[in-house]
Amino acid sequence: MKKGGFALNPLVSIRGLHKSFGSLKVLKDVSLDVYPGEKAVIIGPSGSGKSTLLRCVNWLEQPDSGQIAIDGQVLNKKTTNINKVRAEVGMVFQRFNLFPHRTALENVALAPRLALKVPPEEAKQKAQRLLKQVGLEDKADAYPSQLSGGQQQRVAIARALAMDPKVMLFDEVTSALDPELVYEVLEAMKRLADEGMTMLIVTHEVRFGEEVGDRLIFMDDGQIVEQGNPRELLREPKHERTQAFLKRVLW
């Protein structure tokens, strides 16, 4: 069965999520489904809870209440092997977090070797394929200090892909880049989208969300205010908070 062109069962299912840091309520009863192959893009002002939501999905932050399931596995269930489920969720951060004393190839090959017990030569070949996929096959032997910010971010994407994730999370991956380097990272993400990867993307690149996203989600003040077809939401937002935000960022 299908829902909106996607399989009926969601790959990521979030129900009634609440998260606070001290007295600050960051997430307030957030519910969201992401379906296999879907590209869901989250936009909204700083401090709206977007990044915290992603970090909860990858269990880097544990919600105060609510439920998250990845491919049917409930993360906060005692019988769930949380490390096994987390290995199926790739995440790329604002900062690249590459190992400075390892080459691009070694950065990508390391996780499959350690976590998946992939033989070294097989991990190396896989890393070469993934670097080619993000347009960096000629930088395999370069160290992070020899790469531009955009190139480092593409290595980080390849590294996340090396774990064969079921879903990729992108947290403002272009926000730390100089404007001229943003394009190359977004192009790498577009190629992933074209290949059918399930993606949950937090970004301030609203036009990128329109181009790549199957669904655009607007968050504000810890809540999902509005969501829908990217083109329709950008052109005819229904909620006044969405209207005010888009007026600021698009004009």
Side-chain angles (χ1 to χ4, degrees):
M1 297 179 69
K2 300 280 185 177
K3 178 175 180 178
F6 298 102
L8 184 60
N9 295 323
L11 185 55
V12 179
S13 181
I14 301 166
R15 291 289 177 273
L17 218 62
H18 289 264
K19 176 65 179 178
S20 296
F21 295 103
S23 61
L24 179 64
K25 294 182 179 180
V26 181
L27 296 176
K28 307 171 185 176
D29 196 24
V30 174
S31 295
L32 177 68
D33 288 330
V34 181
Y35 293 87
E38 185 178 17
K39 271 61 73 175
V41 180
I42 304 175
I43 62 172
S46 298
S48 59
K50 308 183 300 296
S51 293
T52 299
L53 177 59
L54 249 59
R55 292 175 66 84
C56 286
V57 172
N58 201 31
W59 217 241
L60 293 171
E61 298 285 355
Q62 295 187 22
D64 300 325
S65 61
Q67 178 177 292
I68 302 171
I70 307 293
D71 202 14
Q73 297 290 308
V74 178
L75 298 189
N76 49 347
K77 195 174 180 180
K78 290 184 178 180
T79 56
T80 297
N81 183 337
I82 190 67
N83 290 327
K84 182 175 183 296
V85 178
R86 285 183 66 192
E88 298 174 341
V89 181
M91 187 159 182
V92 185
F93 300 88
Q94 298 177 28
R95 298 292 176 179
F96 328 120
N97 300 324
L98 300 178
F99 293 109
H101 302 301
R102 293 184 182 272
T103 65
L105 184 75
E106 291 168 343
N107 266 281
V108 177
L110 186 62
R113 284 177 49 205
L114 296 182
L116 303 180
K117 308 304 179 186
V118 174
E121 185 58 32
E122 184 180 336
K124 178 181 177 181
Q125 292 173 0
K126 183 176 189 177
Q128 288 171 332
R129 289 196 306 271
L130 290 170
L131 286 174
K132 183 176 182 179
Q133 186 176 345
V134 297
L136 290 174
E137 63 268 38
D138 61 333
K139 298 294 185 181
D141 296 327
Y143 290 88
S145 62
Q146 299 170 313
L147 301 173
S148 71
Q151 290 169 336
Q152 290 185 61
Q153 193 60 288
R154 284 187 282 158
V155 173
I157 292 172
R159 181 180 58 183
L161 289 171
M163 291 294 289
D164 297 321
K166 293 179 178 179
V167 57
M168 285 281 286
L169 311 178
F170 294 89
D171 185 16
E172 296 278 19
V173 296
T174 61
S175 64
L177 301 177
D178 292 332
E180 65 268 21
L181 301 177
V182 169
Y183 173 81
E184 62 188 60
V185 175
L186 295 183
E187 284 299 304
M189 292 172 65
K190 287 177 189 175
R191 286 195 292 272
L192 272 185
D194 290 341
E195 292 164 8
M197 173 62 71
T198 306
M199 301 163 75
L200 184 56
I201 304 167
V202 167
T203 184
H204 62 277
E205 302 284 346
V206 176
R207 291 301 184 191
F208 171 74
E210 179 184 19
E211 184 176 352
V212 170
D214 297 301
R215 180 163 38 127
L216 199 61
I217 301 156
F218 173 67
M219 285 188 69
D220 191 21
D221 193 29
Q223 299 173 310
I224 293 176
V225 176
E226 188 172 350
Q227 59 182 307
N229 176 278
R231 183 164 295 184
E232 293 175 3
L233 190 145
L234 290 178
R235 281 156 181 73
E236 296 183 8
K238 295 179 173 59
H239 200 285
E240 60 182 17
R241 284 154 74 185
T242 317
Q243 294 168 4
F245 173 77
L246 292 176
K247 187 174 182 180
R248 290 197 304 271
V249 301
L250 294 178
W251 304 104

